[in-house]
PDB file of all heavy atoms in Angstrom:
ATOM      1  N   HIS A1191     -65.136 -75.833  38.933  1.00  0.00           N
ATOM      2  CA  HIS A1191     -64.337 -75.975  40.144  1.00  0.00           C
ATOM      3  C   HIS A1191     -62.845 -75.767  39.897  1.00  0.00           C
ATOM      4  O   HIS A1191     -62.064 -75.855  40.835  1.00  0.00           O
ATOM      5  CB  HIS A1191     -64.569 -77.355  40.756  1.00  0.00           C
ATOM      6  CG  HIS A1191     -66.001 -77.656  41.020  1.00  0.00           C
ATOM      7  ND1 HIS A1191     -66.695 -77.147  42.097  1.00  0.00           N
ATOM      8  CD2 HIS A1191     -66.898 -78.410  40.310  1.00  0.00           C
ATOM      9  CE1 HIS A1191     -67.941 -77.574  42.065  1.00  0.00           C
ATOM     10  NE2 HIS A1191     -68.091 -78.340  41.000  1.00  0.00           N
ATOM     11  N   GLY A1192     -62.473 -75.518  38.661  1.00  0.00           N
ATOM     12  CA  GLY A1192     -61.075 -75.288  38.350  1.00  0.00           C
ATOM     13  C   GLY A1192     -60.705 -75.699  36.936  1.00  0.00           C
ATOM     14  O   GLY A1192     -59.937 -75.035  36.258  1.00  0.00           O
ATOM     15  N   GLY A1193     -61.233 -76.844  36.495  1.00  0.00           N
ATOM     16  CA  GLY A1193     -60.977 -77.292  35.139  1.00  0.00           C
ATOM     17  C   GLY A1193     -59.556 -77.764  34.902  1.00  0.00           C
ATOM     18  O   GLY A1193     -59.040 -77.644  33.792  1.00  0.00           O
ATOM     19  N   ALA A1194     -58.904 -78.300  35.927  1.00  0.00           N
ATOM     20  CA  ALA A1194     -57.526 -78.774  35.796  1.00  0.00           C
ATOM     21  C   ALA A1194     -57.246 -79.782  36.897  1.00  0.00           C
ATOM     22  O   ALA A1194     -58.098 -80.051  37.755  1.00  0.00           O
ATOM     23  CB  ALA A1194     -56.542 -77.609  35.869  1.00  0.00           C
ATOM     24  N   ALA A1195     -56.023 -80.346  36.856  1.00  0.00           N
ATOM     25  CA  ALA A1195     -55.578 -81.270  37.898  1.00  0.00           C
ATOM     26  C   ALA A1195     -54.762 -80.501  38.927  1.00  0.00           C
ATOM     27  O   ALA A1195     -53.943 -79.643  38.572  1.00  0.00           O
ATOM     28  CB  ALA A1195     -54.759 -82.392  37.284  1.00  0.00           C
ATOM     29  N   TYR A1196     -54.977 -80.822  40.194  1.00  0.00           N
ATOM     30  CA  TYR A1196     -54.332 -80.079  41.275  1.00  0.00           C
ATOM     31  C   TYR A1196     -53.726 -81.036  42.295  1.00  0.00           C
ATOM     32  O   TYR A1196     -54.299 -82.090  42.595  1.00  0.00           O
ATOM     33  CB  TYR A1196     -55.348 -79.167  41.969  1.00  0.00           C
ATOM     34  CG  TYR A1196     -56.010 -78.195  41.033  1.00  0.00           C
ATOM     35  CD1 TYR A1196     -57.293 -78.448  40.541  1.00  0.00           C
ATOM     36  CD2 TYR A1196     -55.358 -77.045  40.607  1.00  0.00           C
ATOM     37  CE1 TYR A1196     -57.906 -77.563  39.660  1.00  0.00           C
ATOM     38  CE2 TYR A1196     -55.961 -76.156  39.733  1.00  0.00           C
ATOM     39  CZ  TYR A1196     -57.230 -76.428  39.258  1.00  0.00           C
ATOM     40  OH  TYR A1196     -57.835 -75.556  38.378  1.00  0.00           O
ATOM     41  N   TRP A1197     -52.572 -80.643  42.868  1.00  0.00           N
ATOM     42  CA  TRP A1197     -51.932 -81.419  43.913  1.00  0.00           C
ATOM     43  C   TRP A1197     -52.747 -81.355  45.197  1.00  0.00           C
ATOM     44  O   TRP A1197     -53.430 -80.354  45.463  1.00  0.00           O
ATOM     45  CB  TRP A1197     -50.532 -80.887  44.218  1.00  0.00           C
ATOM     46  CG  TRP A1197     -49.522 -81.038  43.127  1.00  0.00           C
ATOM     47  CD1 TRP A1197     -48.862 -80.036  42.490  1.00  0.00           C
ATOM     48  CD2 TRP A1197     -49.027 -82.265  42.571  1.00  0.00           C
ATOM     49  NE1 TRP A1197     -47.980 -80.551  41.565  1.00  0.00           N
ATOM     50  CE2 TRP A1197     -48.069 -81.916  41.593  1.00  0.00           C
ATOM     51  CE3 TRP A1197     -49.300 -83.608  42.805  1.00  0.00           C
ATOM     52  CZ2 TRP A1197     -47.386 -82.869  40.854  1.00  0.00           C
ATOM     53  CZ3 TRP A1197     -48.623 -84.563  42.062  1.00  0.00           C
ATOM     54  CH2 TRP A1197     -47.676 -84.192  41.100  1.00  0.00           C
ATOM     55  N   GLY A1198     -52.625 -82.416  46.000  1.00  0.00           N
ATOM     56  CA  GLY A1198     -53.274 -82.414  47.292  1.00  0.00           C
ATOM     57  C   GLY A1198     -52.793 -83.560  48.164  1.00  0.00           C
ATOM     58  O   GLY A1198     -52.271 -84.559  47.669  1.00  0.00           O
ATOM     59  N   VAL A1199     -52.949 -83.404  49.453  1.00  0.00           N
ATOM     60  CA  VAL A1199     -52.685 -84.457  50.436  1.00  0.00           C
ATOM     61  C   VAL A1199     -53.986 -85.210  50.668  1.00  0.00           C
ATOM     62  O   VAL A1199     -55.065 -84.604  50.664  1.00  0.00           O
ATOM     63  CB  VAL A1199     -52.172 -83.843  51.757  1.00  0.00           C
ATOM     64  CG1 VAL A1199     -52.008 -84.916  52.826  1.00  0.00           C
ATOM     65  CG2 VAL A1199     -50.861 -83.102  51.530  1.00  0.00           C
ATOM     66  N   GLY A1200     -53.897 -86.512  50.898  1.00  0.00           N
ATOM     67  CA  GLY A1200     -55.125 -87.269  51.088  1.00  0.00           C
ATOM     68  C   GLY A1200     -54.954 -88.479  51.969  1.00  0.00           C
ATOM     69  O   GLY A1200     -53.871 -88.756  52.476  1.00  0.00           O
ATOM     70  N   ALA A1201     -56.066 -89.201  52.157  1.00  0.00           N
ATOM     71  CA  ALA A1201     -56.066 -90.424  52.959  1.00  0.00           C
ATOM     72  C   ALA A1201     -57.270 -91.262  52.574  1.00  0.00           C
ATOM     73  O   ALA A1201     -58.188 -90.801  51.886  1.00  0.00           O
ATOM     74  CB  ALA A1201     -56.089 -90.098  54.457  1.00  0.00           C
ATOM     75  N   ASP A1202     -57.266 -92.518  53.035  1.00  0.00           N
ATOM     76  CA  ASP A1202     -58.385 -93.422  52.785  1.00  0.00           C
ATOM     77  C   ASP A1202     -58.279 -94.566  53.791  1.00  0.00           C
ATOM     78  O   ASP A1202     -57.234 -94.787  54.406  1.00  0.00           O
ATOM     79  CB  ASP A1202     -58.331 -93.959  51.355  1.00  0.00           C
ATOM     80  CG  ASP A1202     -59.640 -94.593  50.909  1.00  0.00           C
ATOM     81  OD1 ASP A1202     -60.635 -94.515  51.664  1.00  0.00           O
ATOM     82  OD2 ASP A1202     -59.675 -95.178  49.807  1.00  0.00           O
ATOM     83  N   GLY A1203     -59.381 -95.259  53.974  1.00  0.00           N
ATOM     84  CA  GLY A1203     -59.376 -96.482  54.747  1.00  0.00           C
ATOM     85  C   GLY A1203     -59.547 -96.331  56.240  1.00  0.00           C
ATOM     86  O   GLY A1203     -59.716 -97.326  56.953  1.00  0.00           O
ATOM     87  N   GLY A1204     -59.498 -95.107  56.749  1.00  0.00           N
ATOM     88  CA  GLY A1204     -59.631 -94.891  58.184  1.00  0.00           C
ATOM     89  C   GLY A1204     -60.889 -94.130  58.530  1.00  0.00           C
ATOM     90  O   GLY A1204     -61.758 -93.898  57.675  1.00  0.00           O
ATOM     91  N   PRO A1205     -61.015 -93.686  59.766  1.00  0.00           N
ATOM     92  CA  PRO A1205     -62.209 -92.966  60.202  1.00  0.00           C
ATOM     93  C   PRO A1205     -62.473 -91.685  59.418  1.00  0.00           C
ATOM     94  O   PRO A1205     -63.632 -91.275  59.294  1.00  0.00           O
ATOM     95  CB  PRO A1205     -61.914 -92.656  61.678  1.00  0.00           C
ATOM     96  CG  PRO A1205     -60.923 -93.685  62.093  1.00  0.00           C
ATOM     97  CD  PRO A1205     -60.084 -93.946  60.890  1.00  0.00           C
ATOM     98  N   THR A1206     -61.425 -91.044  58.905  1.00  0.00           N
ATOM     99  CA  THR A1206     -61.635 -89.789  58.169  1.00  0.00           C
ATOM    100  C   THR A1206     -62.183 -90.018  56.773  1.00  0.00           C
ATOM    101  O   THR A1206     -62.603 -89.064  56.113  1.00  0.00           O
ATOM    102  CB  THR A1206     -60.325 -88.987  58.074  1.00  0.00           C
ATOM    103  OG1 THR A1206     -59.323 -89.788  57.426  1.00  0.00           O
ATOM    104  CG2 THR A1206     -59.851 -88.559  59.445  1.00  0.00           C
ATOM    105  N   GLY A1207     -62.179 -91.258  56.283  1.00  0.00           N
ATOM    106  CA  GLY A1207     -62.762 -91.555  54.984  1.00  0.00           C
ATOM    107  C   GLY A1207     -61.800 -91.332  53.835  1.00  0.00           C
ATOM    108  O   GLY A1207     -60.588 -91.240  54.005  1.00  0.00           O
ATOM    109  N   ASP A1208     -62.355 -91.227  52.632  1.00  0.00           N
ATOM    110  CA  ASP A1208     -61.595 -91.057  51.395  1.00  0.00           C
ATOM    111  C   ASP A1208     -61.630 -89.583  51.010  1.00  0.00           C
ATOM    112  O   ASP A1208     -62.682 -89.056  50.651  1.00  0.00           O
ATOM    113  CB  ASP A1208     -62.210 -91.923  50.297  1.00  0.00           C
ATOM    114  CG  ASP A1208     -61.437 -91.862  48.987  1.00  0.00           C
ATOM    115  OD1 ASP A1208     -60.375 -91.218  48.956  1.00  0.00           O
ATOM    116  OD2 ASP A1208     -61.905 -92.448  47.992  1.00  0.00           O
ATOM    117  N   TRP A1209     -60.479 -88.901  51.073  1.00  0.00           N
ATOM    118  CA  TRP A1209     -60.449 -87.463  50.804  1.00  0.00           C
ATOM    119  C   TRP A1209     -59.106 -87.047  50.230  1.00  0.00           C
ATOM    120  O   TRP A1209     -58.095 -87.726  50.417  1.00  0.00           O
ATOM    121  CB  TRP A1209     -60.743 -86.659  52.076  1.00  0.00           C
ATOM    122  CG  TRP A1209     -59.867 -87.014  53.246  1.00  0.00           C
ATOM    123  CD1 TRP A1209     -60.108 -87.976  54.182  1.00  0.00           C
ATOM    124  CD2 TRP A1209     -58.620 -86.408  53.609  1.00  0.00           C
ATOM    125  NE1 TRP A1209     -59.091 -88.010  55.105  1.00  0.00           N
ATOM    126  CE2 TRP A1209     -58.171 -87.063  54.787  1.00  0.00           C
ATOM    127  CE3 TRP A1209     -57.852 -85.377  53.073  1.00  0.00           C
ATOM    128  CZ2 TRP A1209     -56.974 -86.721  55.419  1.00  0.00           C
ATOM    129  CZ3 TRP A1209     -56.665 -85.034  53.708  1.00  0.00           C
ATOM    130  CH2 TRP A1209     -56.235 -85.700  54.852  1.00  0.00           C
ATOM    131  N   THR A1210     -59.118 -85.926  49.503  1.00  0.00           N
ATOM    132  CA  THR A1210     -57.902 -85.300  48.980  1.00  0.00           C
ATOM    133  C   THR A1210     -58.024 -83.797  49.187  1.00  0.00           C
ATOM    134  O   THR A1210     -58.961 -83.170  48.695  1.00  0.00           O
ATOM    135  CB  THR A1210     -57.708 -85.591  47.483  1.00  0.00           C
ATOM    136  OG1 THR A1210     -57.669 -87.010  47.288  1.00  0.00           O
ATOM    137  CG2 THR A1210     -56.399 -84.984  46.973  1.00  0.00           C
ATOM    138  N   ASN A1211     -57.092 -83.237  49.902  1.00  0.00           N
ATOM    139  CA  ASN A1211     -57.119 -81.813  50.244  1.00  0.00           C
ATOM    140  C   ASN A1211     -56.413 -81.007  49.143  1.00  0.00           C
ATOM    141  O   ASN A1211     -55.385 -80.395  49.366  1.00  0.00           O
ATOM    142  CB  ASN A1211     -56.425 -81.603  51.596  1.00  0.00           C
ATOM    143  CG  ASN A1211     -56.599 -80.204  52.143  1.00  0.00           C
ATOM    144  OD1 ASN A1211     -57.712 -79.734  52.293  1.00  0.00           O
ATOM    145  ND2 ASN A1211     -55.498 -79.537  52.441  1.00  0.00           N
ATOM    146  N   TRP A1212     -56.991 -80.993  47.917  1.00  0.00           N
ATOM    147  CA  TRP A1212     -56.376 -80.288  46.793  1.00  0.00           C
ATOM    148  C   TRP A1212     -56.722 -78.802  46.832  1.00  0.00           C
ATOM    149  O   TRP A1212     -57.708 -78.389  47.438  1.00  0.00           O
ATOM    150  CB  TRP A1212     -56.817 -80.908  45.463  1.00  0.00           C
ATOM    151  CG  TRP A1212     -58.300 -80.930  45.230  1.00  0.00           C
ATOM    152  CD1 TRP A1212     -59.176 -81.921  45.564  1.00  0.00           C
ATOM    153  CD2 TRP A1212     -59.087 -79.884  44.637  1.00  0.00           C
ATOM    154  NE1 TRP A1212     -60.467 -81.567  45.209  1.00  0.00           N
ATOM    155  CE2 TRP A1212     -60.432 -80.326  44.633  1.00  0.00           C
ATOM    156  CE3 TRP A1212     -58.794 -78.634  44.101  1.00  0.00           C
ATOM    157  CZ2 TRP A1212     -61.474 -79.555  44.110  1.00  0.00           C
ATOM    158  CZ3 TRP A1212     -59.827 -77.861  43.583  1.00  0.00           C
ATOM    159  CH2 TRP A1212     -61.145 -78.325  43.587  1.00  0.00           C
ATOM    160  N   ARG A1213     -55.882 -78.019  46.159  1.00  0.00           N
ATOM    161  CA  ARG A1213     -56.091 -76.575  46.088  1.00  0.00           C
ATOM    162  C   ARG A1213     -55.756 -76.084  44.680  1.00  0.00           C
ATOM    163  O   ARG A1213     -54.790 -76.543  44.061  1.00  0.00           O
ATOM    164  CB  ARG A1213     -55.209 -75.828  47.100  1.00  0.00           C
ATOM    165  CG  ARG A1213     -55.585 -76.083  48.561  1.00  0.00           C
ATOM    166  CD  ARG A1213     -56.912 -75.422  48.910  1.00  0.00           C
ATOM    167  NE  ARG A1213     -57.268 -75.586  50.327  1.00  0.00           N
ATOM    168  CZ  ARG A1213     -57.969 -76.585  50.810  1.00  0.00           C
ATOM    169  NH1 ARG A1213     -58.414 -77.546  49.992  1.00  0.00           N
ATOM    170  NH2 ARG A1213     -58.253 -76.654  52.090  1.00  0.00           N
ATOM    171  N   THR A1214     -56.537 -75.136  44.173  1.00  0.00           N
ATOM    172  CA  THR A1214     -56.300 -74.603  42.830  1.00  0.00           C
ATOM    173  C   THR A1214     -55.004 -73.796  42.758  1.00  0.00           C
ATOM    174  O   THR A1214     -54.519 -73.497  41.661  1.00  0.00           O
ATOM    175  CB  THR A1214     -57.474 -73.719  42.370  1.00  0.00           C
ATOM    176  OG1 THR A1214     -57.669 -72.668  43.328  1.00  0.00           O
ATOM    177  CG2 THR A1214     -58.754 -74.534  42.244  1.00  0.00           C
ATOM    178  N   THR A1215     -54.437 -73.435  43.890  1.00  0.00           N
ATOM    179  CA  THR A1215     -53.154 -72.721  43.922  1.00  0.00           C
ATOM    180  C   THR A1215     -51.970 -73.670  43.747  1.00  0.00           C
ATOM    181  O   THR A1215     -50.819 -73.226  43.737  1.00  0.00           O
ATOM    182  CB  THR A1215     -52.990 -71.960  45.241  1.00  0.00           C
ATOM    183  OG1 THR A1215     -53.169 -72.886  46.331  1.00  0.00           O
ATOM    184  CG2 THR A1215     -54.011 -70.840  45.337  1.00  0.00           C
ATOM    185  N   ALA A1216     -52.250 -74.970  43.605  1.00  0.00           N
ATOM    186  CA  ALA A1216     -51.182 -75.958  43.436  1.00  0.00           C
ATOM    187  C   ALA A1216     -51.487 -76.854  42.240  1.00  0.00           C
ATOM    188  O   ALA A1216     -51.798 -78.045  42.402  1.00  0.00           O
ATOM    189  CB  ALA A1216     -51.029 -76.788  44.713  1.00  0.00           C
ATOM    190  N   PRO A1217     -51.431 -76.327  41.015  1.00  0.00           N
ATOM    191  CA  PRO A1217     -51.731 -77.131  39.836  1.00  0.00           C
ATOM    192  C   PRO A1217     -50.679 -78.205  39.597  1.00  0.00           C
ATOM    193  O   PRO A1217     -49.485 -77.982  39.805  1.00  0.00           O
ATOM    194  CB  PRO A1217     -51.745 -76.105  38.703  1.00  0.00           C
ATOM    195  CG  PRO A1217     -50.863 -74.998  39.191  1.00  0.00           C
ATOM    196  CD  PRO A1217     -51.070 -74.931  40.669  1.00  0.00           C
ATOM    197  N   SER A1218     -51.123 -79.369  39.164  1.00  0.00           N
ATOM    198  CA  SER A1218     -50.213 -80.435  38.748  1.00  0.00           C
ATOM    199  C   SER A1218     -49.823 -80.161  37.295  1.00  0.00           C
ATOM    200  O   SER A1218     -50.645 -80.317  36.390  1.00  0.00           O
ATOM    201  CB  SER A1218     -50.898 -81.798  38.859  1.00  0.00           C
ATOM    202  OG  SER A1218     -51.234 -82.102  40.196  1.00  0.00           O
ATOM    203  N   VAL A1219     -48.594 -79.744  37.089  1.00  0.00           N
ATOM    204  CA  VAL A1219     -48.132 -79.334  35.759  1.00  0.00           C
ATOM    205  C   VAL A1219     -47.332 -80.461  35.131  1.00  0.00           C
ATOM    206  O   VAL A1219     -46.340 -80.929  35.709  1.00  0.00           O
ATOM    207  CB  VAL A1219     -47.290 -78.051  35.840  1.00  0.00           C
ATOM    208  CG1 VAL A1219     -46.806 -77.645  34.459  1.00  0.00           C
ATOM    209  CG2 VAL A1219     -48.098 -76.934  36.494  1.00  0.00           C
ATOM    210  N   ALA A1220     -47.753 -80.906  33.951  1.00  0.00           N
ATOM    211  CA  ALA A1220     -47.076 -81.987  33.243  1.00  0.00           C
ATOM    212  C   ALA A1220     -45.907 -81.450  32.417  1.00  0.00           C
ATOM    213  O   ALA A1220     -45.833 -80.260  32.098  1.00  0.00           O
ATOM    214  CB  ALA A1220     -48.059 -82.714  32.337  1.00  0.00           C
ATOM    215  N   GLY A1221     -44.983 -82.352  32.093  1.00  0.00           N
ATOM    216  CA  GLY A1221     -43.943 -82.041  31.120  1.00  0.00           C
ATOM    217  C   GLY A1221     -42.699 -81.376  31.652  1.00  0.00           C
ATOM    218  O   GLY A1221     -41.795 -81.059  30.870  1.00  0.00           O
ATOM    219  N   ARG A1222     -42.580 -81.170  32.950  1.00  0.00           N
ATOM    220  CA  ARG A1222     -41.367 -80.555  33.494  1.00  0.00           C
ATOM    221  C   ARG A1222     -40.995 -81.208  34.816  1.00  0.00           C
ATOM    222  O   ARG A1222     -41.846 -81.723  35.541  1.00  0.00           O
ATOM    223  CB  ARG A1222     -41.540 -79.055  33.689  1.00  0.00           C
ATOM    224  CG  ARG A1222     -42.545 -78.638  34.747  1.00  0.00           C
ATOM    225  CD  ARG A1222     -42.557 -77.128  34.903  1.00  0.00           C
ATOM    226  NE  ARG A1222     -43.489 -76.641  35.907  1.00  0.00           N
ATOM    227  CZ  ARG A1222     -43.231 -76.564  37.209  1.00  0.00           C
ATOM    228  NH1 ARG A1222     -42.060 -76.965  37.671  1.00  0.00           N
ATOM    229  NH2 ARG A1222     -44.132 -76.089  38.043  1.00  0.00           N
ATOM    230  N   TRP A1223     -39.701 -81.198  35.122  1.00  0.00           N
ATOM    231  CA  TRP A1223     -39.221 -81.769  36.370  1.00  0.00           C
ATOM    232  C   TRP A1223     -39.574 -80.858  37.553  1.00  0.00           C
ATOM    233  O   TRP A1223     -39.425 -79.643  37.470  1.00  0.00           O
ATOM    234  CB  TRP A1223     -37.714 -81.972  36.317  1.00  0.00           C
ATOM    235  CG  TRP A1223     -37.325 -83.170  35.510  1.00  0.00           C
ATOM    236  CD1 TRP A1223     -36.946 -83.189  34.208  1.00  0.00           C
ATOM    237  CD2 TRP A1223     -37.299 -84.528  35.968  1.00  0.00           C
ATOM    238  NE1 TRP A1223     -36.689 -84.480  33.814  1.00  0.00           N
ATOM    239  CE2 TRP A1223     -36.893 -85.322  34.873  1.00  0.00           C
ATOM    240  CE3 TRP A1223     -37.573 -85.137  37.184  1.00  0.00           C
ATOM    241  CZ2 TRP A1223     -36.760 -86.710  34.962  1.00  0.00           C
ATOM    242  CZ3 TRP A1223     -37.439 -86.521  37.285  1.00  0.00           C
ATOM    243  CH2 TRP A1223     -37.038 -87.289  36.179  1.00  0.00           C
ATOM    244  N   THR A1224     -40.041 -81.478  38.610  1.00  0.00           N
ATOM    245  CA  THR A1224     -40.389 -80.773  39.837  1.00  0.00           C
ATOM    246  C   THR A1224     -39.779 -81.516  41.015  1.00  0.00           C
ATOM    247  O   THR A1224     -39.829 -82.750  41.071  1.00  0.00           O
ATOM    248  CB  THR A1224     -41.918 -80.702  40.020  1.00  0.00           C
ATOM    249  OG1 THR A1224     -42.504 -80.052  38.897  1.00  0.00           O
ATOM    250  CG2 THR A1224     -42.280 -79.943  41.293  1.00  0.00           C
ATOM    251  N   CYS A1225     -39.197 -80.791  41.940  1.00  0.00           N
ATOM    252  CA  CYS A1225     -38.690 -81.383  43.168  1.00  0.00           C
ATOM    253  C   CYS A1225     -39.758 -81.219  44.241  1.00  0.00           C
ATOM    254  O   CYS A1225     -40.142 -80.091  44.576  1.00  0.00           O
ATOM    255  CB  CYS A1225     -37.391 -80.708  43.599  1.00  0.00           C
ATOM    256  SG  CYS A1225     -36.752 -81.323  45.185  1.00  0.00           S
ATOM    257  N   VAL A1226     -40.246 -82.331  44.767  1.00  0.00           N
ATOM    258  CA  VAL A1226     -41.303 -82.309  45.773  1.00  0.00           C
ATOM    259  C   VAL A1226     -40.746 -82.836  47.093  1.00  0.00           C
ATOM    260  O   VAL A1226     -40.100 -83.887  47.133  1.00  0.00           O
ATOM    261  CB  VAL A1226     -42.515 -83.162  45.344  1.00  0.00           C
ATOM    262  CG1 VAL A1226     -43.632 -83.053  46.387  1.00  0.00           C
ATOM    263  CG2 VAL A1226     -43.021 -82.744  43.971  1.00  0.00           C
ATOM    264  N   GLU A1227     -40.995 -82.099  48.168  1.00  0.00           N
ATOM    265  CA  GLU A1227     -40.626 -82.525  49.520  1.00  0.00           C
ATOM    266  C   GLU A1227     -41.883 -82.594  50.375  1.00  0.00           C
ATOM    267  O   GLU A1227     -42.820 -81.821  50.170  1.00  0.00           O
ATOM    268  CB  GLU A1227     -39.665 -81.533  50.157  1.00  0.00           C
ATOM    269  CG  GLU A1227     -38.355 -81.314  49.415  1.00  0.00           C
ATOM    270  CD  GLU A1227     -37.589 -80.162  50.045  1.00  0.00           C
ATOM    271  OE1 GLU A1227     -36.856 -80.407  51.031  1.00  0.00           O
ATOM    272  OE2 GLU A1227     -37.759 -79.021  49.565  1.00  0.00           O
ATOM    273  N   TRP A1228     -41.863 -83.501  51.341  1.00  0.00           N
ATOM    274  CA  TRP A1228     -42.969 -83.560  52.292  1.00  0.00           C
ATOM    275  C   TRP A1228     -42.443 -83.909  53.679  1.00  0.00           C
ATOM    276  O   TRP A1228     -41.358 -84.472  53.833  1.00  0.00           O
ATOM    277  CB  TRP A1228     -44.032 -84.561  51.848  1.00  0.00           C
ATOM    278  CG  TRP A1228     -43.608 -86.009  51.889  1.00  0.00           C
ATOM    279  CD1 TRP A1228     -43.808 -86.892  52.902  1.00  0.00           C
ATOM    280  CD2 TRP A1228     -42.914 -86.731  50.868  1.00  0.00           C
ATOM    281  NE1 TRP A1228     -43.289 -88.116  52.576  1.00  0.00           N
ATOM    282  CE2 TRP A1228     -42.744 -88.054  51.346  1.00  0.00           C
ATOM    283  CE3 TRP A1228     -42.452 -86.393  49.596  1.00  0.00           C
ATOM    284  CZ2 TRP A1228     -42.106 -89.031  50.583  1.00  0.00           C
ATOM    285  CZ3 TRP A1228     -41.799 -87.373  48.849  1.00  0.00           C
ATOM    286  CH2 TRP A1228     -41.632 -88.671  49.329  1.00  0.00           C
ATOM    287  N   HIS A1229     -43.213 -83.546  54.686  1.00  0.00           N
ATOM    288  CA  HIS A1229     -42.859 -83.832  56.073  1.00  0.00           C
ATOM    289  C   HIS A1229     -44.048 -84.453  56.766  1.00  0.00           C
ATOM    290  O   HIS A1229     -45.148 -83.895  56.753  1.00  0.00           O
ATOM    291  CB  HIS A1229     -42.457 -82.545  56.804  1.00  0.00           C
ATOM    292  CG  HIS A1229     -42.011 -82.770  58.209  1.00  0.00           C
ATOM    293  ND1 HIS A1229     -42.134 -81.811  59.204  1.00  0.00           N
ATOM    294  CD2 HIS A1229     -41.438 -83.858  58.817  1.00  0.00           C
ATOM    295  CE1 HIS A1229     -41.647 -82.299  60.344  1.00  0.00           C
ATOM    296  NE2 HIS A1229     -41.229 -83.528  60.141  1.00  0.00           N
ATOM    297  N   MET A1230     -43.836 -85.614  57.365  1.00  0.00           N
ATOM    298  CA  MET A1230     -44.846 -86.286  58.173  1.00  0.00           C
ATOM    299  C   MET A1230     -44.466 -86.063  59.632  1.00  0.00           C
ATOM    300  O   MET A1230     -43.459 -86.612  60.108  1.00  0.00           O
ATOM    301  CB  MET A1230     -44.874 -87.779  57.860  1.00  0.00           C
ATOM    302  CG  MET A1230     -44.758 -88.118  56.379  1.00  0.00           C
ATOM    303  SD  MET A1230     -46.287 -87.875  55.486  1.00  0.00           S
ATOM    304  CE  MET A1230     -47.128 -89.414  55.839  1.00  0.00           C
ATOM    305  N   ASP A1231     -45.227 -85.262  60.348  1.00  0.00           N
ATOM    306  CA  ASP A1231     -44.922 -84.911  61.731  1.00  0.00           C
ATOM    307  C   ASP A1231     -45.964 -85.543  62.648  1.00  0.00           C
ATOM    308  O   ASP A1231     -47.113 -85.101  62.703  1.00  0.00           O
ATOM    309  CB  ASP A1231     -44.910 -83.397  61.899  1.00  0.00           C
ATOM    310  CG  ASP A1231     -44.442 -82.953  63.268  1.00  0.00           C
ATOM    311  OD1 ASP A1231     -44.269 -83.822  64.157  1.00  0.00           O
ATOM    312  OD2 ASP A1231     -44.260 -81.744  63.469  1.00  0.00           O
ATOM    313  N   ALA A1232     -45.550 -86.591  63.375  1.00  0.00           N
ATOM    314  CA  ALA A1232     -46.489 -87.346  64.189  1.00  0.00           C
ATOM    315  C   ALA A1232     -46.975 -86.583  65.419  1.00  0.00           C
ATOM    316  O   ALA A1232     -47.963 -86.992  66.046  1.00  0.00           O
ATOM    317  CB  ALA A1232     -45.858 -88.667  64.625  1.00  0.00           C
ATOM    318  N   VAL A1233     -46.315 -85.478  65.781  1.00  0.00           N
ATOM    319  CA  VAL A1233     -46.717 -84.729  66.974  1.00  0.00           C
ATOM    320  C   VAL A1233     -48.173 -84.290  66.873  1.00  0.00           C
ATOM    321  O   VAL A1233     -48.945 -84.405  67.830  1.00  0.00           O
ATOM    322  CB  VAL A1233     -45.795 -83.517  67.192  1.00  0.00           C
ATOM    323  CG1 VAL A1233     -46.326 -82.627  68.313  1.00  0.00           C
ATOM    324  CG2 VAL A1233     -44.381 -83.978  67.521  1.00  0.00           C
ATOM    325  N   ASP A1234     -48.561 -83.774  65.685  1.00  0.00           N
ATOM    326  CA  ASP A1234     -49.961 -83.395  65.487  1.00  0.00           C
ATOM    327  C   ASP A1234     -50.502 -83.949  64.166  1.00  0.00           C
ATOM    328  O   ASP A1234     -51.411 -83.385  63.575  1.00  0.00           O
ATOM    329  CB  ASP A1234     -50.147 -81.876  65.550  1.00  0.00           C
ATOM    330  CG  ASP A1234     -49.344 -81.138  64.497  1.00  0.00           C
ATOM    331  OD1 ASP A1234     -48.520 -81.794  63.800  1.00  0.00           O
ATOM    332  OD2 ASP A1234     -49.529 -79.926  64.350  1.00  0.00           O
TER     333      ASP A1234
END
């Protein structure tokens, strides 16, 4: 399925269950600084 660790958005505890929307195009790379931004948009 990839053989590595990958970033993803996820949730738990609600009706949608326990899930992580990871993708192999977003590997979690150790050992270097990364600037991560996120946006929570309540409209949708």
Side-chain angles (χ1 to χ4, degrees):
H1191 305 282
Y1196 302 100
W1197 293 119
V1199 175
D1202 196 6
T1206 58
D1208 183 5
W1209 53 271
T1210 303
N1211 189 55
W1212 58 269
R1213 293 290 183 270
T1214 57
T1215 54
S1218 297
V1219 179
R1222 66 176 180 84
W1223 283 96
T1224 302
C1225 176
V1226 183
E1227 301 172 85
W1228 68 94
H1229 183 208
M1230 318 282 277
D1231 187 352
V1233 172
D1234 60 352

